[in-house]
Amino acid sequence: MRPTTMVLVLSVLMVAGCASRPQFGQRLQVATPGTVVNAPVRIVRDVITDSARRRGTAITLVGDGLILEAPLAETRVEVEETCGPHRPGRKTRVVLTTVPAGGGTLLSEDRYIVDGAQTCYLRLSPEDAAQSRNALNRIKATAEEIQRRISAHAALQ
């Protein structure tokens, strides 16, 4: 199965919440609990896309998910213990799922280490989990501010 096909299937199954992830080596918890954003999916995705582009991160839209990938220059000891020694071409993959929730969006994140067709699932360290929560909260704050401005402008019309 091609990596892009695998990611598509994985994203759809994550959103549906009705199947487990495929097994490539050790499977560990990688998800950050969802955050409800009081803005429509379109605005949330635009915020994510704009931020990722400014950082030079590759973005792919797949179903209800945005996939962000970036090269991994080196492998931390904790990652090496689970995924093996660093290899050229290793990258991080972050899947941000955006699902409509009432008038807002449920936003969640999964992180992976990818070596070609091989995916390594990692337990988020406390620091990584905090970084993930902070990133989701920044997306939430930005999207909700954009939504407030749009609503205020519409009310003036």
Side-chain angles (χ1 to χ4, degrees):
M1 181 181 290
R2 291 185 359 216
T4 54
T5 305
M6 179 187 70
V7 170
L8 174 61
V9 171
L10 176 66
S11 296
V12 170
L13 292 177
M14 281 189 327
V15 171
C18 61
S20 61
R21 295 180 180 95
Q23 299 292 314
F24 293 104
Q26 190 173 6
R27 177 178 176 262
L28 299 170
Q29 178 64 37
V30 294
T32 297
T35 299
V36 176
V37 181
N38 295 314
V41 168
R42 176 186 50 78
I43 290 175
V44 174
R45 287 184 180 179
D46 287 349
V47 168
I48 294 166
T49 300
D50 182 56
S51 175
R53 283 191 179 134
R54 279 188 271 120
R55 291 188 319 270
T57 302
I59 310 161
T60 306
L61 176 62
V62 183
D64 285 338
L66 289 159
I67 300 167
L68 287 64
E69 292 186 337
L72 189 60
E74 59 183 33
T75 302
R76 296 186 328 235
V77 173
E78 315 83 64
V79 173
E80 191 170 303
E81 289 172 358
T82 302
C83 303
H86 186 77
R87 292 185 281 210
R90 182 171 274 181
K91 58 187 169 184
T92 59
R93 177 177 292 153
V94 177
V95 179
L96 292 160
T97 305
T98 54
V99 179
T105 303
L106 178 61
L107 174 64
S108 61
E109 174 186 291
D110 284 282
R111 294 184 183 194
Y112 311 91
I113 302 296
V114 180
D115 284 315
Q118 188 85 9
T119 302
C120 181
Y121 303 98
L122 300 172
R123 181 176 310 280
L124 291 178
S125 69
E127 296 82 18
D128 287 339
Q131 178 190 22
S132 177
R133 280 189 306 277
N134 288 338
L136 293 180
N137 286 333
R138 281 191 308 272
I139 293 166
K140 174 182 172 66
T142 303
E144 288 177 351
E145 177 59 26
I146 291 169
Q147 180 60 35
R148 275 191 291 277
R149 289 180 184 177
I150 290 171
S151 296
H153 181 73
L156 294 174
Q157 298 301 318

